[in-house]
Amino acid sequence: STPVNAPAQQEEILSVIGNTITVIIGGEKTADAYSVFELIVPPNEGPGLHIDKDWDEWWYVMEGTFTFTLNGERKQFNAGSFAHGPKGIPHSFKNTGEVTGKVVMVTMPSGLEKFFRNVHHASLNGRPDKETFVNIMRSHHIEPA
């Protein structure tokens, strides 16, 4: 395989339901093998409980305090913590600290960036309603749990 690098000026920054998500490396650069994201998550924000059908996810907490729910088990993660959510399990996380947090997330295979782009575009005129958001989720094989 060939080395992958992502010059900073090529990063794609998306606004997704209160979070700032930077696509560091998308599937376009990895032959759809994986994607890498940086998530900037304000306090009390984070994705609700859902099931990804197409990809595994890994999270590395860079800054802040997050509470993850992975397959029914709740755990608190601080900076330096690492978590894994295999596809098919219900999971969510929330910034439960008092300051904005930062998480690096890897998905395997890629594809989640397409969901983030769709939500970003649907949010340009304000946060999409729940039905629109759930339809976008389901179109990317993500089920609310």
Side-chain angles (χ1 to χ4, degrees):
S1 70
T2 57
V4 175
N5 63 31
Q9 67 271 19
Q10 292 180 2
E11 289 178 343
E12 176 181 13
I13 299 174
L14 304 171
S15 179
V16 181
I17 312 295
N19 304 285
T20 301
I21 299 177
T22 301
V23 181
I24 296 173
I25 298 173
E28 304 84 8
K29 291 194 167 113
T30 66
D32 293 324
Y34 64 93
S35 299
V36 181
F37 308 94
E38 179 188 80
L39 285 59
I40 304 296
V41 185
N44 296 311
E45 292 285 343
L49 200 62
H50 64 281
I51 298 169
D52 298 313
K53 296 182 176 179
D54 292 349
W55 47 78
D56 292 340
E57 295 179 339
W58 291 264
W59 304 275
Y60 181 73
V61 177
M62 301 288 292
E63 298 172 11
T65 301
F66 288 82
T67 299
F68 281 77
T69 300
L70 300 166
N71 213 17
E73 194 175 331
R74 286 172 56 94
K75 284 189 178 172
Q76 183 173 301
F77 290 91
N78 299 314
S81 299
F82 185 80
H84 173 226
K87 67 182 170 189
I89 70 157
H91 64 280
S92 66
F93 64 86
K94 181 183 260 191
N95 178 346
T96 48
E98 296 184 9
V99 297
T100 296
K102 184 189 295 186
V103 175
V104 171
M105 179 170 72
V106 176
T107 62
M108 209 171 153
S110 68
L112 186 57
E113 63 273 18
K114 295 172 186 169
F115 167 74
F116 289 152
R117 288 174 188 141
N118 275 10
V119 174
H120 174 84
H121 291 297
S123 304
L124 292 176
N125 298 316
R127 194 174 276 214
D129 62 53
K130 186 170 183 176
E131 183 182 1
T132 300
F133 185 69
V134 168
N135 286 338
I136 294 170
M137 287 175 69
R138 288 191 167 132
S139 73
H140 292 278
H141 307 144
I142 303 169
E143 274 300 315

